[in-house]
Amino acid sequence: MTTPPFDEIDRRIVLATQEGLPLVPAPYAEVARQVGIDEAELLERLRRMQGDGRIRRIGAVPNHYALGYRFNGMTVWDVPDARARALGRAVGALPFVSHCYLRPRHPPDWPYTLFAMVHGRDRDTALAHVEAIARLLGADDLGHQVLFSSRILKKTGLRLSGGHGA
Amino acid sequence: MDDLDRRIINTLQEGFPLTARPFAAVAAGLGLDEADLLARLRRLRADNVLTRFGPLFNAEALGGGLTLAAMAVPQERFAAVADLVNAHPEVAHNYAREHRLNMWFVVATERPEQVRPVLEAIAADSGLPVYDMPKLEEFSLSLRFEA
């Protein structure tokens, strides 16, 4: 079992913070009160979750549209399977790629496996990023597309239902 | 949004202290006081410039299920299908994209086996195929935007 220990208190911490931290001077004291533990224990558990990767980070998540990033392209690439991991690492290391993943194909409709998100305040900047990825992949680019997002239909954090224990 | 808002957003994307008065510490670094920082953050949240402020959980590390799914939705049914998809609490994000596959959404569940029933329910209720594209490997996740 590789899943880190996740007990009922951790679960209550996730439930209490998944909508965000309260914007008050002592937010952790407030969350600790809701969870029913003291603040020191809450801070220790949050540190542990951050250390083992259950929390990626604590901070602000901007709406990138509101910051002017109107051109958000999901670039998708058909690359040779044998080279996909090495290529994914190279593309993921590019400074303008925010997310990079390998995903399964759905032939014949969807031959693309390597996904890389690029963003720009104008379309040309975003397309220049796509060109840079294409140059990096060279002959390993067997075909690609850019899917610009036209609208956010929903965006929330991770949701645990409050109903029952795991 | 002014320059100070931008500095606040950039600073708070770098991380947030795990201390008793974290806003006071961040405010001191920005040369303003705690109450001003909190007031600005409340406004940025209310205006949806910040979609969230707090811990970003890794669904898989918590033992949960996560996938990306795509659908080709006829334009005349787009709003109705978006409502049907978004009505599932497990749908965390949903984006309209310019492609034949024009609706892309992320499903996050408490346990991995709960993903498939959500996709099956969406396929059944919409009468449309749902392409499941779970992450096989992750190469980068920087999640940072210069304000």
Side-chain angles (χ1 to χ4, degrees), chain B residues 7-130:
Chain B
R7 282 172 57 216
I8 290 170
I9 293 167
N10 289 337
T11 301
L12 286 174
Q13 288 183 82
E14 298 297 337
F16 188 64
L18 281 164
T19 54
R21 299 292 289 266
F23 292 106
V26 171
L30 289 164
L32 66 165
D33 65 42
E34 186 186 44
D36 289 342
L37 174 61
L38 283 165
R40 280 180 179 259
L41 283 173
R42 285 190 199 103
R43 180 171 48 74
L44 291 169
R45 271 294 285 125
D47 294 348
N48 201 34
V49 174
L50 298 181
T51 55
R52 302 191 69 241
F53 181 80
L56 241 82
F57 292 100
N58 176 342
E60 288 147 320
L62 289 175
L66 189 71
T67 200
L68 174 69
M71 298 169 81
V73 182
Q75 217 39 254
E76 66 277 10
R77 293 185 57 203
F78 197 85
V81 173
D83 287 346
L84 178 160
V85 169
N86 293 350
H88 289 269
E90 299 88 350
V91 172
H93 306 171
N94 187 3
Y95 285 87
R97 295 193 179 278
E98 299 164 5
H99 188 266
R100 193 180 72 79
L101 295 179
N102 54 359
M103 191 178 292
W104 291 75
F105 52 95
V106 170
V107 174
T109 60
E110 264 192 77
R111 290 187 297 279
E113 67 272 19
Q114 294 168 325
V115 169
R116 182 157 294 279
V118 174
L119 300 185
E120 284 170 356
I122 290 171
D125 294 346
S126 66
L128 298 168
V130 176

Side-chain angles (χ1 to χ4, degrees), chain A residues 18-80:
Chain A
Q18 63 186 350
E19 303 284 342
L21 287 173
L23 296 173
V24 297
Y28 301 117
E30 171 66 23
V31 171
R33 195 187 54 73
Q34 284 176 35
V35 172
I37 57 178
D38 64 34
E39 186 182 16
E41 182 180 357
L42 175 73
L43 289 170
E44 177 51 37
R45 284 175 177 266
L46 288 173
R47 256 179 226 117
R48 204 184 315 150
M49 285 197 242
Q50 198 159 20
D52 64 26
R54 285 178 289 171
I55 293 176
R56 292 184 185 276
R57 69 181 167 86
I58 301 174
V61 181
N63 171 351
H64 47 278
Y65 285 87
L67 299 186
Y69 292 90
R70 290 176 48 233
F71 296 90
N72 301 289
M74 183 173 75
T75 74
V76 296
W77 307 80
D78 181 6
V79 298

